[in-house]
Amino acid sequence: MASEGISRRTLLSGTVAAGVVTAVGVGAGSALAAPAGFYHPFTGYPITGTWQDHLNSGSLGGIDFGMGVGTNLPACGGGVVTNIPYNGTGGHTVTIQHDNGYRTQYMHLSQFLLGNGTRVAMGAVVGLSGGAVGAPGSGSSTGPHLHWHMINPSGTRINPLDFMGGGGGGGLPKTTTEQDGVPGPIMWKRAQNWLRIEQGYTGPIDGVPGVNTYAALQRGVRGYGYTGPIDGVMGPNSWAGVQRLASHWGYTGPIDGVMGPNSWRGFARFLNQDKYN
Ligand SMILES: [Zn+2]
């Protein structure tokens, strides 16, 4: 039966739709651990309003990302969720209180997914984007987008992209697996971010692959000759798909379903593309 940890999470997530409970539950122990940091969940979307654009229009600041209504909004870092419905011009707003005292706010949502007080891991989906003109949670938004800002411990609104460094670059470091052929947490975080962007993975970006990560990985290698089940159980056929992917990124060894250092190097070279930062 469920451990105490699972029971507690289920309790906290009591108002959540079934699919989302699964997403939050991924990573079990690590989901409740203190967050290691932050990442930029929206590198795949165009910036349609800069920080300066916001200041120029009298806002306290924020970054707008163009995305269709209903897009998954992953937490940029772990923390505790509070929903603020009809938050003035911001419309439906999710606040994530991070353990280091910083807060994140996502605005103009079309839908809340988690109950107040839910603890989430980095990468867990906390709501769905909105912003369509006149929709109930849109506030003053004039078109579908996400507005994102952060608030520092002294209450000042700050630009999340500056806070994370890189001035708008991504949040995940490159993995050294490309050099040493040894898979580790950074490689798996990048894999989870790839799968989030392209394969519908909604679990945490925690570098700890579980069944949901592996199921998404199996989906990801269907284009590389894998025809087996999407069951999250990696067998030789699943790994052979990963090797075929790696063969497009410099791997020249056998496609035998046995991952060695050279297989991991090719896979890591694929994952180290900037778009998966
Ligand atoms: Zn905005």
Side-chain angles (χ1 to χ4, degrees):
M1 261 314 289
S3 69
E4 183 182 329
I6 299 287
S7 302
R8 174 174 165 74
R9 185 161 38 251
T10 303
L11 182 66
L12 289 172
S13 307
T15 61
V16 175
V20 180
V21 171
T22 304
V24 174
V26 172
S30 63
L32 293 176
F38 297 101
Y39 85 113
H40 181 348
F42 308 113
T43 54
Y45 303 97
I47 292 178
T48 55
T50 65
W51 189 265
Q52 190 60 45
D53 290 338
H54 283 78
L55 299 184
N56 292 349
S57 64
S59 159
L60 291 172
I63 307 285
D64 292 340
F65 295 90
M67 61 180 72
V69 170
T71 301
N72 286 338
L73 301 178
C76 66
V80 176
V81 166
T82 303
N83 302 313
I84 312 174
Y86 306 105
N87 182 26
T89 56
H92 289 349
T93 300
V94 162
T95 300
I96 305 165
Q97 177 73 54
H98 305 291
D99 292 348
N100 62 4
Y102 285 78
R103 280 175 286 162
T104 289
Q105 291 198 307
Y106 297 153
M107 291 182 153
H108 315 304
L109 272 61
S110 60
Q111 200 177 322
F112 298 115
L113 293 177
L114 305 177
N116 289 333
T118 304
R119 176 167 280 277
V120 295
M122 182 190 298
V125 176
V126 298
L128 301 182
S129 74
V133 186
S138 285
S140 63
S141 176
T142 56
H145 77 282
L146 166 71
H147 169 111
W148 179 24
H149 65 248
M150 292 181 76
I151 300 169
N152 71 16
S154 23
T156 302
R157 196 183 284 203
I158 58 170
N159 183 342
L161 303 185
D162 289 347
F163 175 66
M164 288 179 211
L172 289 177
K174 305 293 188 190
T175 173
T176 55
T177 307
E178 184 176 341
Q179 285 78 44
D180 61 22
V182 179
I186 302 294
M187 189 211 78
W188 282 113
K189 282 186 182 180
R190 294 191 68 88
Q192 288 169 327
N193 201 36
W194 157 49
L195 297 167
R196 177 189 69 79
I197 293 168
E198 297 185 0
Q199 300 296 336
Y201 172 71
T202 58
I205 310 294
D206 60 2
V208 183
V211 170
N212 283 358
T213 301
Y214 287 134
L217 180 56
Q218 289 172 320
R219 283 197 296 278
V221 297
R222 274 186 308 200
Y224 297 92
Y226 176 65
T227 57
I230 307 297
D231 58 4
V233 180
M234 296 292 287
N237 287 336
S238 303
W239 290 117
V242 175
Q243 288 177 315
R244 268 184 225 101
L245 184 162
S247 72
H248 293 263
W249 293 85
Y251 173 62
T252 57
I255 307 296
D256 57 5
V258 181
M259 295 291 285
N262 286 332
S263 303
W264 289 117
R265 283 190 188 97
F267 184 43
R269 201 168 288 122
F270 163 76
L271 295 174
N272 269 344
Q273 295 176 81
D274 289 345
K275 63 181 177 178
Y276 304 136
N277 289 2

